[in-house]
């Protein structure tokens, strides 16, 4: 065999490369260069945003494709799932176009059931909702006139409202409880009017020193107004109009100048069907139809004997889609979503509507399981999707029979809709059709553009943690202009610094680069505490949702501000005279924010004060009767019962109790349950404490062994009515559930009274448990919590949200504030800055339940490093769960170098998983680390974190030369 001539082989390969290069079309080469230039230009646009000091940490993902040939022109984090907010409306609109004809309408019907005798209807008027989102007051006047034309002059019956086309879940999944009075978050009902909003008018003319005049229109009789506002001299106004949670009571507070014009505020109502009935009553009255004094609005359904009086069709679907694509209209979008469920599946729920949208997304846009919406409008901060999936929607609609109807309705830059005043006088004017997103910390622009070359492009820009709104909007507009100018773009100098090689990159990069996790954004930083060296960094400056990693800031600030000797205090007063064992006066319990206060038994989690001990001391003091009230004082805290941005549909979940300065058992009752002896038997149920404060309805039976466990425990919103329903299989081994109560202070007082009665202490028949201020001066009995390090240890080991929030508000009070969460947050922020964190962040609660919190891994590591220099460090460090040993890390990282070594605070929300703390390497080097994961993956984030933890604990430096 002859030896190979390497020189000849080399010349042959060179010749082959030259031939191949000559056969590649010039247009393809130019196209590639142009696409690279676009990528560089868009990347530079993002970099410009991130260079803004107030925009540091902003998270950006984008994707650009050609609708002509399907190629990808540019992208950044295009597979990462982010919060879409209003861009979700595009999916709902597309699904509606796909499901219905443009001329389709939905009908509201009016009936009466009974006989008309001499103009008097002996029976009910029935209003049946068809899911029309465009009904207005004037339409209800038309309903009244139709009844009048049918001969009705007097109604001797009720107004029956039927909204059963949709389910009774009127708010979207994970919507924020504190935004439910905003028109954008109005409740969804099949029978609705005026987008379920009213106008609240406040007028102060001529009433200095008194309350202003407040009117609610329409249907003022359906609402209660608590007027706490005052009229003052001048022409300024500082008025707040709020609606009490889960009610139709408006609270007006603040001041209005006597010379200030009438102030009008639009607010959402609480009960859509009831509001519709009240509007109809007002319309009937104005049309001259009398109602019996006993006439009321009640929910019901059309009977077989009911006679139809009028049909009112909605506007056609094309007008619905106009609204969805041209405006930011979450309410109309959510009505459309439920209508999709009702029409396509027979069930008018958001869940069924999303099934329809998901089917469209899967079949038409070919999206994968990383596409995770939670509502139709994007109001929910639980839904996530990627910019790549957004462009897949646009690509699908480009092939759809109603392509023109979809794209023609998108806002046009510089011309109409939400883009009317944007990109004027640029290459994008008249060419970019896109839907912009403009929500707190969320931005974006998704649509299509005809480029300078005539090529049609689809693009989606998604922005999360955009704290500087103006800078984000400028970036969005720059994207639009760049895409319209393509391929005529100026060259961009690539001045990015080369990425640094980190000591741990070799072991951590392969873990984070796994394809299974491409839907999530990883933010990771590892820092050597011994060498002050960054050992690993990936997106460490990105602002992400921290979940319970928020508790690290709360506990560190509390230890620093309050000190390790701090104890929470609860006071008991005998406010009256005592004679012969009779207290003539009130028994007063004043809360001082103690989260450990409990009743003895399975709800006591720390060795803190108990109501049982209070009862014993009162008995020993000789009190046998109380001729007065139980007065509870929770004014040590002044904030609302829930944190900013907490989800309304978690209000009956054990981890989202109401926050009060006086609260036992972390504001919950406990249900322990076992099956009965055989199928069909009632279950065995025990409630702790046994109290009449809650009203419990039990409709649970034992099922066959091996059957499904369908037990549901629900508390009716805004009440203390708890219902248990479903089945427990006969072979079920038992469990328990804690359920939060309304008004924890009253709960505490009620249980105290009940326990005293059990011990033979009598109360006057008219004794009440009521809220009120405690007397000034020393208390008769004082009770203290465990020390702050013990309390913080329970907080972090178990990740208890009530503990975190009570500590936060105590911080606010003890630092000279008003005992509110906001005052506590300001104190936390003060310490954060003292510890060297000077880049933007957002903290809105103490526990991490809110999705408004935004923190970067770098900021977490800075906090952790700073704690090592504080006197309280031992208490802080030991409060963190130990891998494989205790707390929320008890079962994790066992059998790895991290077991018994790594300490970390966990955090978990839907599509959020975090872990931050300390670990020692195989070399004995101390590290602080933060691992933050936001977005969706079908895989386990915790499993990935465990592997990272094990790698950190097992890490050994590759020493070289004379290094020791």
């Amino acid at each position: 065999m002859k030896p190979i001539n390497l020189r000849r082989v080399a010349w042959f390969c060179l010749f082959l490369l030259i031939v191949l290069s000559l056969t590649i079309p010039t247009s393809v080469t130019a196209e590639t260069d142009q696409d690279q230039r676009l990528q560089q230009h868009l990347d530079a646009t993002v970099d410009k945003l991130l260079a803004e000091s107030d925009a540091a940490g902003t998270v950006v993902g984008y994707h650009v494709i050609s609708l002509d040939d399907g190629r990808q022109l540019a992208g950044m984090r295009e597979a990462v799932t982010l919060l879409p907010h209003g861009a979700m409306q595009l999916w709902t609109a597309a699904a509606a176009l796909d499901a219905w004809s443009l001329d389709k309408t939905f009908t509201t019907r009016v009936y009466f059931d009974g006989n008309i005798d001499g103009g008097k209807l002996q029976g009910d008027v029935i209003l049946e909702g068809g899911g029309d989102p465009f009904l207005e007051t004037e339409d209800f006047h038309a309903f009244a006139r139709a009844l009048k034309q049918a001969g009705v002059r007097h109604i001797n019956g009720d107004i029956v409202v039927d909204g059963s086309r949709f389910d009774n879940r009127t708010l979207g999944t994970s919507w924020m409880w504190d935004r439910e009075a905003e028109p954008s978050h109005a409740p969804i009902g099949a029978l609705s009017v005026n987008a379920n909003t009213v106008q609240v008018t406040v007028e102060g003319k001529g009433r200095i020193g008194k309350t202003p005049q407040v009117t609610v229109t329409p249907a003022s009789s359906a609402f209660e107004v608590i007027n706490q506002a005052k009229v003052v001299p001048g022409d300024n106004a500082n008025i707040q109009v709020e609606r009490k949670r889960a009610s139709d009571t408006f609270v007006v507070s603040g001041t209005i100048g006597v010379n200030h014009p009438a102030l009008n505020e639009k607010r959402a109502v609480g009960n859509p069907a009831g509001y519709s009935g009240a509007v109809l009553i007002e319309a009937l009255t104005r049309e001259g139809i009398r109602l019996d004094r006993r006439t009321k609005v009640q929910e019901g359904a059309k009977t077989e004997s009911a006679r139809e009086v009028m049909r009112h069709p909605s506007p056609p679907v094309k007008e619905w889609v106009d609204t969805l694509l041209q405006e930011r209209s979450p309410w109309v979008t959510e009505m459309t979503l439920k209508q999709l469920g009702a029409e396509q599946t027979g069930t008018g729920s958001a869940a069924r509507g999303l099934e329809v949208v998901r089917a469209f997304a899967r079949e038409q846009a070919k999206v994968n399981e990383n596409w995770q919406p939670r509502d139709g409008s994007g109001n929910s901060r639980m839904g996530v999707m990627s910019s790549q999936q957004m462009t897949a929607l646009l690509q699908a609609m480009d092939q759809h029979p109603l392509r023109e109807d979809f794209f023609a309705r998108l806002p046009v830059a510089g011309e109409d809709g939400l883009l009317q005043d944007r990109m004027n006088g640029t290459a994008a004017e008249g060419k970019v059709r896109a839907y912009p997103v403009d929500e707190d910390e969320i931005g974006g622009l998704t649509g299509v553009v005809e480029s300078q070359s005539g090529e049609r492009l689809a693009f989606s820009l998604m922005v999360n943690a955009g704290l500087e709104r103006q800078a984000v909007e400028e970036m969005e507009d720059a994207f639009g202009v760049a895409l319209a100018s393509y391929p005529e773009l100026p060259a961009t100098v690539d001045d990015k610094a080369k990425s640094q090689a980190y000591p741990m990159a070799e072991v951590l990069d392969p873990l984070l680069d796994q394809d299974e996790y491409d839907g999530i954004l990883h933010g990771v930083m590892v820092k050597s505490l011994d060498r002050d060296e960054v050992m690993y960094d990936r997106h460490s400056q990105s602002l992400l949702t921290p979940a319970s990693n928020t508790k690290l800031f709360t506990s560190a600030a509390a230890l620093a501000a309050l000190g390790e000797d701090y104890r929470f205090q609860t006071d008991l007063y005998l406010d009256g005279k005592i004679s012969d064992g009779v207290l003539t006066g009130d028994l007063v319990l004043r809360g001082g924010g103690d989260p450990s206060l409990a009743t003895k038994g399975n709800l006591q989690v720390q060795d803190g004060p108990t109501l049982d001990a209070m009862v014993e001391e009162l008995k020993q003091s000789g009190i046998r009767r109380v001729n007065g009230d139980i007065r509870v004082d929770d004014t040590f805290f002044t904030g609302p019962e829930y944190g900013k941005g907490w989800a309304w549909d978690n209000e009956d979940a054990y981890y989202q109790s109401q926050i009060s300065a006086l609260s036992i058992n972390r504001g919950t009752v406990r249900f322990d349950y076992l099956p009965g002896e055989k199928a069909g038997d009632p279950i065995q149920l025990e409630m702790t404490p046994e109290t009449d404060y809650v009203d419990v309805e039990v409709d649970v039976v034992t099922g066959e062994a091996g059957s499904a466990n369908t037990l549901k425990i629900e508390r009716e919103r805004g009440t203390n009515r708890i219902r248990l329903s479903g089945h427990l299989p006969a072979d079920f081994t038992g469990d328990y559930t804690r359920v939060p109560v309304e008004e924890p202070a009253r709960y505490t007082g009620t249980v105290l009274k009940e326990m005293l009665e059990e011990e033979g202490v009598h109360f006057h028949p008219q004794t009440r448990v009521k809220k009120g201020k405690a007397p000034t001066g020393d208390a008769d009995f004082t009770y203290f919590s465990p020390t702050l390090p013990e309390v913080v240890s329970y907080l972090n080991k178990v990740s208890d949200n009530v503990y975190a929030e009570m500590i936060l508000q105590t911080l606010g009070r003890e630092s000279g504030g008003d005992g509110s969460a906001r005052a506590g947050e300001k104190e936390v922020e003060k310490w954060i800055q003292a510890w060297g964190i000077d880049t933007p962040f957002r903290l809105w609660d103490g526990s991490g339940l809110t999705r408004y919190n935004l923190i970067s891994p770098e900021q977490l590591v800075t906090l952790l490093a700073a704690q090592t220099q504080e006197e309280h460090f031992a208490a802080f460090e030991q409060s963190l769960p130990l891998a494989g040993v205790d707390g929320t890390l008890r079962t994790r990282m066992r059998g790895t170098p991290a077991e018994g070594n790594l300490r970390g605070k966990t955090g978990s929300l839907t599509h959020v998983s975090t872990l931050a703390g300390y670990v020692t390497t195989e070399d004995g080097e101390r590290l602080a680390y933060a691992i933050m994961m936001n977005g969706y993956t079908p895989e386990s984030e915790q499993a990935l974190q465990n592997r990272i933890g094990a790698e950190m604990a097992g890490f050994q430096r590759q020493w070289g030369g004379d290094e020791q």
Side-chain angles (χ1 to χ4, degrees):
M1 182 176 177
K2 291 183 178 181
I4 296 174
N5 188 323
L6 295 179
R7 183 183 296 273
R8 296 179 67 181
V9 170
W11 278 108
F12 175 77
C13 290
L14 177 62
F15 172 77
L16 185 61
L17 285 171
I18 293 171
V19 171
L20 287 172
S21 67
L22 293 174
T23 60
I24 297 174
T26 304
S27 60
V28 173
T29 306
E31 191 175 78
T32 302
D33 291 342
Q34 293 162 359
D35 293 354
Q36 289 176 348
R37 181 174 292 185
L38 176 64
Q39 176 81 57
Q40 293 169 356
H41 189 91
L42 296 182
D43 285 352
T45 304
V46 174
D47 291 340
K48 181 181 178 182
L49 169 75
L50 298 180
E52 300 265 350
S53 60
D54 291 339
T58 302
V59 175
V60 178
Y62 72 81
H63 193 228
V64 183
I65 61 170
S66 169
L67 290 175
D68 293 339
D69 61 20
R71 78 184 189 284
Q72 174 176 311
L73 281 75
M76 173 187 288
R77 297 175 181 161
E78 59 268 29
V80 171
T81 54
L82 302 172
L83 301 175
H85 200 255
M88 180 60 205
Q89 286 188 188
L90 300 180
W91 290 95
T92 307
L97 279 175
D98 186 64
W100 303 325
S101 71
L102 290 174
D103 296 327
K104 185 176 180 60
T105 61
F106 300 91
T107 305
T108 303
R109 292 177 169 83
V110 184
Y111 305 87
F112 67 80
D113 184 16
N115 297 317
I116 301 174
D117 185 6
K120 180 179 285 189
L121 171 62
Q122 299 291 346
D124 300 334
V125 170
I126 303 166
L127 189 56
E128 182 183 68
D132 181 354
F134 298 101
L135 285 175
E136 297 181 349
T137 299
E138 184 51 44
D139 297 317
F140 280 60
H141 282 272
F143 300 160
R145 289 192 292 271
L147 286 163
K148 194 172 185 178
Q149 290 171 5
V152 177
R153 298 293 183 274
H154 187 131
I155 298 173
N156 190 19
D158 292 329
I159 305 299
V160 177
V161 289
D162 181 2
S164 60
R165 181 172 175 83
F166 293 171
D167 67 357
N168 59 7
R169 187 180 171 90
T170 58
L171 298 176
T173 298
S174 197
W175 285 10
M176 288 70 79
W177 79 276
D178 48 339
R179 298 191 67 178
E180 66 179 79
E182 297 179 17
S184 61
H185 289 66
I188 313 303
L191 181 57
S192 298
V193 60
N194 300 324
N196 284 333
T197 62
V198 293
Q199 180 170 282
V200 180
T201 302
V202 184
E203 296 180 273
K205 190 173 182 180
R207 301 170 64 91
I208 293 177
K210 298 183 179 180
T211 57
Q213 180 179 337
V214 178
T215 55
V216 180
T217 54
S220 59
S221 62
F223 305 95
E224 178 187 359
V225 175
I226 299 175
N227 190 350
Q228 300 173 342
K230 287 287 185 290
V231 179
V232 296
D235 56 3
N236 294 322
N238 181 22
I239 290 289
Q240 293 82 44
V241 179
E242 300 175 342
R243 178 167 61 77
K244 283 191 172 182
R245 178 178 52 89
S247 77
D248 273 319
T249 299
F250 290 101
V251 180
V252 182
S253 60
T255 60
I256 185 169
V258 66
N259 298 322
H260 194 282
L263 193 67
N264 296 310
E265 297 284 351
K266 187 177 281 191
R267 292 291 181 268
V269 305
N271 180 355
Y275 172 47
S276 296
V279 172
L280 181 59
I281 285 178
E282 191 170 84
L284 290 166
T285 301
R286 291 188 180 180
E287 294 297 332
I289 298 176
R290 295 172 56 202
L291 289 90
D292 187 85
R293 60 183 178 84
R294 292 168 295 184
T295 295
K296 61 184 181 299
V297 177
Q298 65 174 2
E299 294 189 21
K302 178 183 76 69
T303 59
E304 291 185 5
S305 58
R307 285 175 281 178
E308 188 176 292
V309 175
M310 180 181 179
R311 295 185 178 189
H312 179 85
S314 72
V317 163
K318 60 185 174 184
E319 293 187 27
W320 296 42
V321 175
D322 276 343
T323 302
L324 268 59
L325 296 180
Q326 280 282 327
E327 305 173 17
R328 173 63 185 142
S329 184
W331 190 78
V332 175
T333 309
E334 297 298 337
M335 291 285 283
T336 304
L337 184 71
K338 286 200 173 187
Q339 197 68 273
L340 280 168
E343 195 71 8
Q344 307 307 116
T345 75
T347 301
S349 69
R352 287 299 184 90
L354 277 175
E355 286 180 12
V356 177
V357 181
R358 282 194 180 97
F360 167 81
R362 185 174 57 252
E363 296 163 11
Q364 304 273 357
K366 311 299 182 186
V367 299
N368 62 19
E369 59 186 325
N370 287 4
W371 187 77
Q372 291 285 317
R374 283 295 183 271
D375 63 5
S377 63
N379 270 353
S380 174
R381 294 199 173 207
M382 190 183 286
V384 293
M385 56 197 62
S386 69
S387 58
Q388 195 173 56
Q389 290 165 341
M390 293 301 305
T391 56
L393 166 66
L394 300 173
Q395 203 167 18
M397 292 310 296
D398 191 54
Q399 303 299 316
H400 198 277
L402 294 179
R403 169 185 174 276
E404 291 298 329
D405 295 284
F406 180 83
F407 289 118
R409 287 176 164 81
L410 288 172
V412 180
E415 293 185 4
D416 63 20
L418 296 170
L419 292 180
Q420 183 173 357
D421 299 319
R422 292 177 57 177
M423 294 176 260
N424 304 72
T426 70
E429 182 175 359
K431 289 188 175 182
V432 169
R433 291 182 174 272
Y435 188 92
V437 173
D438 181 7
E439 169 68 357
D440 290 343
E441 288 118 27
I442 305 175
L445 192 67
T446 296
V448 295
V449 58
E450 182 181 336
S451 71
Q452 190 73 29
S453 64
E455 187 174 13
R456 297 176 310 121
L457 309 179
F459 66 93
S460 179
L461 168 67
M462 301 180 73
V463 182
N464 284 186
L467 304 186
E468 179 49 58
R469 180 60 220 163
Q470 183 176 346
V472 170
E473 188 170 301
E474 288 174 359
M475 180 185 68
E476 293 167 359
D477 290 354
F479 259 68
V481 173
L483 294 173
S485 303
Y486 173 83
E488 303 299 325
L489 294 171
T492 303
V493 177
D494 186 4
D495 57 358
K496 285 186 180 180
K498 291 184 178 180
S499 59
Q500 184 175 342
Y502 296 103
M504 286 189 170
E506 188 175 334
V507 292
L508 297 189
D509 276 346
L511 296 179
L512 294 171
D513 289 338
Q514 296 174 83
D515 291 343
E516 305 94 296
Y517 294 98
D518 65 356
I520 60 176
L521 178 63
H522 311 91
V524 181
M525 175 174 266
V526 184
K527 185 175 184 179
S528 169
L529 297 172
D530 297 331
R531 299 162 63 97
D532 193 28
E533 176 188 2
V534 176
M535 304 290 287
Y536 188 76
D537 186 313
R538 179 174 293 200
H539 308 313
S540 70
Q541 294 184 344
S542 295
L543 288 170
L544 302 171
T545 303
S548 283
N549 272 192
T550 303
K551 295 181 175 78
L552 291 169
F553 293 91
T554 305
S555 53
L559 288 166
L562 302 176
E564 294 183 68
D565 294 329
Y566 186 86
R567 295 174 185 264
F568 299 85
Q569 179 175 327
T570 305
D571 295 322
L572 184 61
Y573 298 82
L574 307 178
D575 190 20
K577 295 182 179 180
I578 302 173
S579 178
D580 295 328
V582 178
L583 170 62
T584 303
D586 293 349
L587 193 60
V588 184
L589 193 56
R590 179 182 181 274
D594 184 357
S596 72
L597 184 63
T599 54
K600 278 188 177 178
N602 56 22
L603 281 171
Q604 185 181 10
V605 295
Q606 286 194 287
D607 187 17
T610 64
L611 293 191
D612 308 71
M614 295 181 190
V615 170
E616 186 62 29
E617 285 206 88
L618 287 169
K619 279 179 59 184
Q620 290 179 3
S621 69
I623 292 178
R624 302 189 309 274
R625 181 179 177 84
V626 178
N627 286 335
D629 293 325
I630 301 282
R631 200 158 82 236
V632 291
D633 182 353
D634 62 352
T635 57
F636 190 72
F637 293 167
T638 57
E641 62 269 38
Y642 294 115
K644 180 181 175 66
W646 289 10
W648 75 274
D649 42 357
N650 288 336
E651 289 174 10
D652 62 354
Y654 74 90
Y655 53 80
Q656 190 172 299
S657 299
Q658 295 186 1
I659 308 306
S660 168
L662 179 61
S663 181
I664 56 168
N665 304 328
R666 292 166 287 164
T668 64
V669 294
R670 170 170 164 156
F671 293 95
D672 288 79
Y673 38 86
L674 283 164
E677 291 186 6
K678 61 182 186 302
D681 285 354
I683 65 167
Q684 304 173 60
L685 183 69
E686 180 181 349
M687 182 175 73
T688 307
E690 293 183 2
T691 175
D692 290 332
Y693 188 71
V694 294
D695 180 14
V696 181
E697 177 187 345
V698 182
D699 184 21
V700 189
V701 296
T702 304
E704 297 288 346
S707 62
N709 180 352
T710 62
L711 175 68
K712 291 175 66 177
I713 303 179
E714 301 168 299
R715 178 170 62 82
E716 183 181 323
R717 192 165 188 237
T719 76
N720 280 314
R721 291 189 289 273
I722 300 173
R723 185 170 188 270
L724 290 81
S725 60
H727 295 77
L728 274 183
D731 53 351
F732 182 70
T733 56
D735 203 350
Y736 73 90
T737 299
R738 290 193 295 118
V739 180
V741 300
E742 291 280 330
E743 297 193 81
R746 290 185 190 273
Y747 167 48
T748 303
T750 299
V751 174
L752 177 62
K753 178 175 180 288
E754 292 169 339
M755 292 176 69
L756 284 166
E757 288 173 329
E758 287 179 8
E759 292 299 320
V761 177
H762 299 281
F763 288 85
H764 191 278
Q766 295 181 344
T767 293
R768 299 174 301 152
V769 176
K770 66 179 185 181
K771 285 191 173 184
K773 289 280 289 181
T776 56
D778 294 336
D780 294 277
F781 305 96
T782 297
Y783 305 89
F784 292 99
S785 74
T787 63
L788 184 59
E790 294 175 89
V791 171
V792 165
S793 180
Y794 183 83
L795 158 67
N796 284 331
K797 296 283 190 188
V798 179
S799 199
D800 191 285
N801 298 321
V802 174
Y803 267 59
E805 298 303 331
M806 293 182 79
I807 290 172
L808 179 72
Q809 294 195 27
T810 298
L811 255 178
R813 172 66 70 183
E814 296 288 15
S815 63
D818 57 7
S820 66
R822 191 66 201 121
E825 288 150 9
K826 287 180 179 178
E827 182 67 9
V828 173
E829 289 165 5
K830 183 188 81 175
W831 284 99
I832 287 176
Q833 291 165 358
W835 288 322
I837 297 174
D838 56 5
T839 49
F841 61 89
R842 289 288 187 273
L843 284 178
W844 288 107
D845 70 2
S847 62
L849 272 176
T850 181
R851 292 174 181 268
Y852 286 136
N853 289 346
L854 292 170
I855 293 293
S856 73
E858 182 181 60
Q859 290 165 342
L860 276 167
V861 168
T862 301
L863 171 83
L864 292 165
Q867 298 317 293
T868 64
Q869 306 304 309
E870 296 286 343
E871 291 183 4
H872 62 251
F873 175 62
F876 178 79
E877 182 185 35
Q878 290 164 21
S879 76
L880 303 181
L882 187 58
V885 176
D886 64 13
T888 55
L889 290 180
R890 183 178 66 258
T891 62
R892 294 176 60 179
M893 291 174 256
R894 287 181 174 172
T896 75
E899 182 178 0
N901 171 2
L902 179 144
R903 288 189 181 271
K905 180 71 200 73
T906 56
S908 180
L909 294 169
T910 300
H911 307 325
V912 176
S913 186
T914 57
L915 182 67
Y918 305 100
V919 64
T920 301
T921 71
E922 188 74 21
D923 297 325
E925 189 172 4
R926 297 181 308 147
L927 308 178
Y929 68 90
I931 307 166
M932 304 183 72
M933 299 175 177
N934 283 193
Y936 177 79
T937 173
E939 303 300 318
S940 167
E941 294 102 323
Q942 288 190 2
L944 178 55
Q945 292 165 6
N946 292 348
R947 292 181 67 185
I948 294 172
E951 290 290 352
M952 290 190 297
F955 182 75
Q956 290 182 290
R957 285 184 179 271
Q958 300 299 314
W959 303 107
D962 296 326
E963 268 189 283
Q964 299 293 318

